[in-house]
Amino acid sequence: MTTEPTTQPRKRTGRAAVIAAFLWSLTAVPVGLWQLLDPEGGPFSHELYEPTFTLPDAVPAWAGPAALIAAGVLGLLAARARPGLWPLTALYAVVFGMLLSTTSPIAFAGYICAFLIPLAAAAVPVMLARGTVGRLVAAAAVAALLVVLGLTGVVDYAAVGDFLRMLGARIVEIGPFMLVQVWIVAGGAIWAALTLSLLLTGREDRPAPAWLAPERAARWGRAAAWIAFACALPYGLTRLTWLTPWAWMGGPLDSSMIDPATRVWGLCLGFAALAGGVLCLGLTYRWGVRWPFWMPVVKGRPVPPKVAIVPATTVAALFTFVSLPFVALSVRQDALEMVWAFPFYVWGPALAAATLAYAIRRGVVAAR
């Protein structure tokens, strides 16, 4: 683990949160108008939209989109709120991050990550090889293996192509709805960042709290990173049982009943979860500060803080804000095993804390 001293406070971070909140509020108006003018085809009428809470039947259909438009207009002013008004920005974070969000973004992100696992598996041997010759040999070996898998029928590349076309068509079909869902989660993250900025700004005339010191942040950040890592284990290890005769997923499964496509997707999802857990540890160990030896070109160089902070913050926001909708959906569908298999309600906040500690250590966040 490497701890770097905190440098001069980055006021640009606070300005970026203000600008992002202002721009997000601007977009709330057209999104609300879309739903208001097209109540049947709007983003909140989509077949995939399953909110955590629904409005009572007595509330007219136009009230929801009208409230969204009003929130956007108010948000233009709230984006410039003084530190004492942080409860208002926090309310925006809760409403848009947790009450209007659904589980669709996390499901979409999970399958995208699962799709990337085979690509990562092919790239890892090349990246771990030493020297140019070693990498060329590794790349040739991977290419030869892929050809053999195709010739022997282990991998049906025609079926893979059909699946990719189907996946692309589905993404295009649900694209507008998914963009609005991402917009909602992004809004929660933006308003949460603005709230944090206001809280820190409000302490400018007071000494910084001890927990913001880089050496203290290194300790609680390490604990948070390991908690986030542990949250990836239940689902990831459960999926790995599909490699054994004792397959499990919320209960024992008959391995012979799992078709190959389902097995491959399940294992890719499990590996994606475990890989995400390992990446959480990068926020507290040396390879999160300097590129490791297996990274071509950049190995040994400092990792730009935003390379780690931006994706980690994005994932932390996604996990945190979908946690309530996910638990609600699990309860409604009587699938309580998913509550412990996907502990987003712990994973998201723990990853957010680890990311904050990393930002403090790298000098991106400071109390003053």
Side-chain angles (χ1 to χ4, degrees):
M1 181 189 68
T2 299
T3 300
E4 296 189 358
T6 302
T7 60
Q8 190 176 8
R10 306 284 181 90
K11 293 185 179 180
R12 288 177 297 177
T13 304
R15 287 198 298 270
V18 170
I19 294 172
F22 184 86
L23 294 177
W24 185 91
S25 299
L26 277 179
T27 60
V29 176
V31 171
L33 286 174
W34 177 12
Q35 181 66 33
L36 185 64
L37 299 176
D38 187 13
E40 297 298 325
F44 301 102
S45 303
H46 196 277
E47 60 179 348
L48 296 179
Y49 184 64
E50 191 169 357
T52 306
F53 302 102
T54 57
L55 295 174
D57 294 336
V59 177
W62 56 263
L68 178 57
I69 295 172
V73 174
L74 178 60
L76 297 176
L77 301 175
R80 300 284 300 183
R82 295 178 178 274
L85 293 178
W86 67 263
L88 176 60
T89 60
L91 178 63
Y92 266 73
V94 171
V95 170
F96 289 100
M98 305 191 77
L99 301 186
L100 289 184
S101 59
T102 70
T103 60
S104 295
I106 195 67
F108 184 75
Y111 279 101
I112 292 297
C113 291
F115 175 75
L116 295 176
I117 288 298
L119 301 180
V124 164
V126 179
M127 298 182 71
L128 290 179
R130 296 295 186 97
T132 302
V133 174
R135 290 195 176 93
L136 290 175
V137 171
V142 170
L145 176 61
L146 294 176
V147 171
V148 170
L149 291 177
L151 294 175
T152 57
V154 175
V155 177
D156 187 346
Y157 289 113
V160 172
D162 292 339
F163 170 78
L164 292 178
R165 284 189 290 272
M166 180 196 69
L167 180 62
R170 182 57 174 165
I171 291 175
V172 171
E173 179 187 350
I174 67 173
F177 165 77
M178 196 58 65
L179 282 175
V180 172
Q181 288 298 299
V182 171
W183 171 81
I184 289 173
V185 175
I190 289 169
W191 288 104
L194 181 57
T195 301
L196 177 61
S197 176
L198 293 177
L199 288 172
L200 294 179
T201 301
R203 297 189 57 92
E204 285 184 343
D205 56 345
R206 288 177 286 173
W211 62 271
L212 278 176
E215 61 276 6
R216 290 283 295 274
R219 290 197 292 270
W220 56 260
R222 181 166 55 250
W226 276 100
I227 291 172
F229 168 76
C231 289
L233 298 181
Y235 180 75
L237 295 180
T238 298
R239 285 294 194 183
L240 290 187
T241 62
W242 287 20
L243 292 171
T244 74
W246 306 280
W248 186 278
M249 194 68 226
L253 301 176
D254 184 352
S255 297
S256 62
M257 302 285 290
I258 307 176
D259 63 86
T262 301
R263 189 182 297 272
V264 169
W265 266 113
L267 291 174
C268 287
L269 286 166
F271 281 117
L274 294 176
V278 171
L279 289 176
C280 293
L281 298 179
L283 296 170
T284 192
Y285 284 99
R286 177 180 171 79
W287 54 275
V289 176
R290 291 192 175 276
W291 294 109
F293 74 91
W294 45 266
M295 289 294 294
V297 182
V298 296
K299 61 180 180 180
R301 297 180 183 178
V303 176
K306 290 183 180 179
V307 169
I309 293 172
V310 171
T313 301
T314 301
V315 174
L318 179 61
F319 285 3
T320 301
F321 293 136
V322 304
S323 60
L324 182 58
F326 190 86
V327 171
L329 180 64
S330 300
V331 172
R332 284 200 297 265
Q333 295 184 349
D334 194 24
L336 296 181
E337 69 276 2
M338 304 305 288
V339 176
W340 61 260
F342 293 98
F344 295 128
Y345 41 89
V346 177
W347 195 347
L351 179 56
T355 306
L356 176 60
Y358 178 88
I360 292 172
R361 290 169 43 222
R362 300 300 304 275
V364 176
V365 171
R368 307 172 59 109

